[in-house]
Coordinates of all heavy atoms in Angstrom, one line a residue:
A120 N -1.8 -11.6 -20.0 CA -1.0 -10.3 -19.9 C 0.5 -10.6 -19.8 O 0.9 -11.8 -19.4 CB -1.5 -9.6 -18.7
V121 N 1.3 -9.6 -20.1 CA 2.7 -9.8 -19.9 C 3.3 -8.4 -19.5 O 2.8 -7.4 -19.8 CB 3.4 -10.3 -21.3 CG1 3.3 -9.2 -22.4 CG2 4.9 -10.6 -21.1
I122 N 4.5 -8.5 -18.8 CA 5.2 -7.3 -18.4 C 6.7 -7.5 -18.7 O 7.2 -8.6 -18.4 CB 4.9 -7.0 -16.9 CG1 5.6 -5.6 -16.5 CG2 5.4 -8.1 -15.9 CD1 5.0 -5.1 -15.2
R123 N 7.3 -6.5 -19.3 CA 8.7 -6.6 -19.5 C 9.4 -6.2 -18.2 O 9.1 -5.3 -17.6 CB 9.0 -5.6 -20.6 CG 8.3 -5.7 -21.9 CD 8.7 -6.9 -22.7 NE 10.0 -6.8 -23.3 CZ 10.2 -6.4 -24.6 NH1 9.2 -6.1 -25.4 NH2 11.4 -6.4 -25.0
W124 N 10.4 -7.0 -17.9 CA 11.1 -6.8 -16.6 C 11.9 -5.5 -16.6 O 11.8 -4.9 -15.6 CB 12.0 -8.0 -16.3 CG 12.3 -8.1 -14.8 CD1 13.4 -7.8 -14.1 CD2 11.4 -8.7 -13.9 NE1 13.2 -8.0 -12.8 CE2 12.0 -8.6 -12.6 CE3 10.1 -9.2 -14.0 CZ2 11.4 -9.0 -11.5 CZ3 9.4 -9.7 -12.8 CH2 10.1 -9.6 -11.6
S125 N 12.5 -5.2 -17.7 CA 13.2 -4.0 -17.8 C 12.2 -2.9 -18.5 O 11.8 -3.1 -19.6 CB 14.5 -4.1 -18.6 OG 15.1 -2.9 -18.8
G126 N 11.9 -1.9 -17.8 CA 11.1 -0.8 -18.4 C 9.6 -1.0 -17.9 O 8.9 0.0 -17.8
G127 N 9.2 -2.2 -17.7 CA 7.8 -2.4 -17.2 C 6.7 -2.2 -18.1 O 5.5 -2.1 -17.8
S128 N 7.0 -2.2 -19.5 CA 5.9 -2.1 -20.4 C 5.0 -3.3 -20.3 O 5.5 -4.5 -20.0 CB 6.4 -1.9 -21.8 OG 7.2 -3.0 -22.2
T129 N 3.7 -3.2 -20.6 CA 2.7 -4.2 -20.5 C 1.9 -4.4 -21.7 O 1.9 -3.5 -22.6 CB 1.8 -3.9 -19.4 OG1 1.1 -2.6 -19.6 CG2 2.5 -3.8 -18.0
Y130 N 1.3 -5.6 -21.9 CA 0.5 -5.9 -23.0 C -0.6 -6.9 -22.5 O -0.3 -7.7 -21.7 CB 1.4 -6.5 -24.1 CG 0.6 -6.7 -25.4 CD1 0.6 -5.6 -26.3 CD2 0.0 -7.9 -25.8 CE1 0.0 -5.8 -27.5 CE2 -0.7 -8.0 -27.0 CZ -0.7 -7.0 -27.9 OH -1.3 -7.1 -29.1
Y131 N -1.8 -6.6 -23.0 CA -3.0 -7.4 -22.5 C -3.7 -8.1 -23.7 O -3.8 -7.5 -24.8 CB -3.9 -6.5 -21.7 CG -3.3 -5.9 -20.5 CD1 -2.7 -4.7 -20.5 CD2 -3.4 -6.6 -19.2 CE1 -2.2 -4.1 -19.4 CE2 -2.8 -6.0 -18.1 CZ -2.2 -4.8 -18.2 OH -1.7 -4.3 -17.0
A132 N -4.4 -9.2 -23.3 CA -5.3 -9.7 -24.2 C -6.5 -8.8 -24.3 O -6.9 -8.2 -23.2 CB -5.8 -11.2 -23.8
G133 N -7.2 -8.8 -25.4 CA -8.3 -7.9 -25.5 C -9.4 -8.2 -24.6 O -10.2 -7.3 -24.1
S134 N -9.6 -9.5 -24.2 CA -10.7 -9.9 -23.4 C -10.5 -9.4 -21.9 O -11.5 -9.4 -21.2 CB -10.8 -11.4 -23.4 OG -9.6 -12.0 -22.9
V135 N -9.3 -9.0 -21.5 CA -9.1 -8.6 -20.1 C -8.7 -7.1 -20.0 O -8.6 -6.6 -18.9 CB -8.1 -9.5 -19.4 CG1 -8.5 -10.9 -19.6 CG2 -6.7 -9.2 -20.0
E136 N -8.3 -6.5 -21.1 CA -7.9 -5.1 -21.1 C -8.9 -4.2 -20.5 O -10.1 -4.3 -20.8 CB -7.4 -4.6 -22.5 CG -6.7 -3.4 -22.5 CD -5.9 -3.1 -23.7 OE1 -6.3 -3.8 -24.7 OE2 -5.0 -2.3 -23.8
G137 N -8.4 -3.4 -19.5 CA -9.3 -2.5 -18.8 C -9.8 -3.1 -17.5 O -10.4 -2.4 -16.7
R138 N -9.7 -4.4 -17.4 CA -10.2 -5.1 -16.1 C -9.0 -5.6 -15.4 O -9.1 -5.7 -14.1 CB -11.1 -6.2 -16.5 CG -12.4 -5.8 -17.2 CD -13.4 -6.9 -17.4 NE -12.9 -8.1 -18.2 CZ -12.8 -9.3 -17.7 NH1 -13.2 -9.6 -16.5 NH2 -12.3 -10.3 -18.5
F139 N -8.0 -6.1 -16.0 CA -6.9 -6.7 -15.4 C -5.6 -5.8 -15.5 O -5.5 -5.1 -16.4 CB -6.5 -8.0 -16.0 CG -7.5 -9.2 -15.8 CD1 -8.7 -8.9 -15.3 CD2 -7.1 -10.5 -16.2 CE1 -9.6 -10.0 -15.2 CE2 -8.0 -11.5 -16.0 CZ -9.2 -11.3 -15.5
T140 N -4.8 -5.8 -14.4 CA -3.6 -5.0 -14.4 C -2.4 -5.9 -14.0 O -2.5 -6.5 -12.9 CB -3.7 -3.8 -13.5 OG1 -4.8 -3.0 -13.9 CG2 -2.4 -3.0 -13.5
I141 N -1.4 -6.0 -14.8 CA -0.2 -6.7 -14.4 C 0.9 -5.7 -13.9 O 1.0 -4.6 -14.4 CB 0.4 -7.5 -15.6 CG1 1.4 -8.5 -15.2 CG2 0.8 -6.6 -16.8 CD1 1.9 -9.5 -16.2
S142 N 1.6 -6.1 -12.9 CA 2.6 -5.2 -12.2 C 3.7 -6.1 -11.7 O 3.5 -7.3 -11.5 CB 2.0 -4.3 -11.1 OG 1.5 -5.1 -10.1
R143 N 4.8 -5.5 -11.3 CA 5.9 -6.2 -10.8 C 6.5 -5.5 -9.6 O 6.5 -4.2 -9.6 CB 7.0 -6.5 -11.8 CG 7.8 -5.3 -12.2 CD 8.6 -5.5 -13.5 NE 9.6 -4.5 -13.7 CZ 9.4 -3.2 -13.9 NH1 8.2 -2.7 -13.8 NH2 10.4 -2.5 -14.2
D144 N 7.1 -6.2 -8.7 CA 7.9 -5.7 -7.6 C 9.3 -6.3 -7.8 O 9.5 -7.5 -7.4 CB 7.2 -6.0 -6.3 CG 8.0 -5.4 -5.1 OD1 9.2 -5.3 -5.1 OD2 7.3 -5.1 -4.1
N145 N 10.2 -5.5 -8.3 CA 11.5 -6.2 -8.6 C 12.2 -6.6 -7.4 O 12.9 -7.7 -7.4 CB 12.5 -5.1 -9.2 CG 11.9 -4.8 -10.7 OD1 10.9 -5.2 -11.1 ND2 12.8 -4.2 -11.5
A146 N 12.1 -5.9 -6.2 CA 12.8 -6.2 -5.0 C 12.3 -7.6 -4.5 O 13.0 -8.3 -3.8 CB 12.6 -5.1 -4.0
K147 N 11.0 -7.9 -4.7 CA 10.5 -9.1 -4.2 C 10.4 -10.2 -5.3 O 9.9 -11.3 -5.0 CB 9.1 -8.8 -3.7 CG 9.0 -7.9 -2.5 CD 7.6 -7.8 -2.0 CE 7.5 -6.9 -0.8 NZ 6.1 -6.7 -0.3
N148 N 11.0 -9.9 -6.5 CA 10.9 -10.9 -7.6 C 9.5 -11.5 -7.7 O 9.3 -12.7 -7.9 CB 11.8 -12.1 -7.3 CG 13.3 -11.7 -7.5 OD1 13.6 -10.8 -8.3 ND2 14.2 -12.3 -6.8
T149 N 8.5 -10.6 -7.7 CA 7.1 -10.9 -7.7 C 6.4 -10.2 -8.8 O 6.6 -9.0 -9.0 CB 6.5 -10.7 -6.4 OG1 7.1 -11.4 -5.4 CG2 5.0 -11.1 -6.4
V150 N 5.5 -10.9 -9.5 CA 4.6 -10.3 -10.5 C 3.2 -10.5 -10.0 O 2.9 -11.6 -9.6 CB 4.8 -10.8 -11.9 CG1 3.8 -10.4 -12.9 CG2 6.3 -10.5 -12.4
Y151 N 2.4 -9.4 -10.2 CA 1.0 -9.5 -9.7 C 0.0 -9.4 -10.9 O 0.4 -8.8 -11.9 CB 0.7 -8.4 -8.7 CG 1.6 -8.4 -7.5 CD1 2.7 -7.5 -7.5 CD2 1.3 -9.2 -6.4 CE1 3.5 -7.5 -6.3 CE2 2.1 -9.2 -5.3 CZ 3.2 -8.3 -5.3 OH 4.0 -8.3 -4.1
L152 N -1.1 -10.0 -10.7 CA -2.2 -9.8 -11.7 C -3.4 -9.4 -10.9 O -4.1 -10.2 -10.2 CB -2.5 -11.1 -12.5 CG -3.5 -10.9 -13.6 CD1 -3.0 -10.0 -14.7 CD2 -3.9 -12.3 -14.2
Q153 N -3.8 -8.1 -11.0 CA -4.9 -7.6 -10.3 C -6.1 -7.8 -11.2 O -6.1 -7.3 -12.4 CB -4.8 -6.1 -9.9 CG -6.0 -5.5 -9.3 CD -6.4 -6.2 -7.9 OE1 -5.5 -6.2 -7.1 NE2 -7.6 -6.4 -7.7
M154 N -7.1 -8.6 -10.8 CA -8.3 -8.8 -11.7 C -9.5 -8.3 -11.1 O -9.9 -8.7 -10.0 CB -8.4 -10.4 -11.8 CG -7.1 -11.1 -12.3 SD -7.4 -12.8 -12.6 CE -7.7 -13.4 -10.9

């Protein structure tokens, strides 16, 4: 998965789409992957 830092658009591999979620917290400089 990938997330654009500006705008937050996301893209997933087909094998994980619908099960995994990528997100970011700009203030914490942290990116999460909820599986």
Side-chain angles (χ1 to χ4, degrees):
V121 65
I122 186 165
R123 306 288 289 261
W124 204 257
S125 176
S128 62
T129 59
Y130 190 85
Y131 297 91
S134 59
V135 307
E136 192 161 19
R138 300 189 297 123
F139 291 9
T140 302
I141 189 170
S142 62
R143 76 195 190 297
D144 184 331
N145 290 16
K147 296 182 179 179
N148 286 333
T149 301
V150 172
Y151 302 98
L152 185 68
Q153 177 68 44
M154 306 185 295

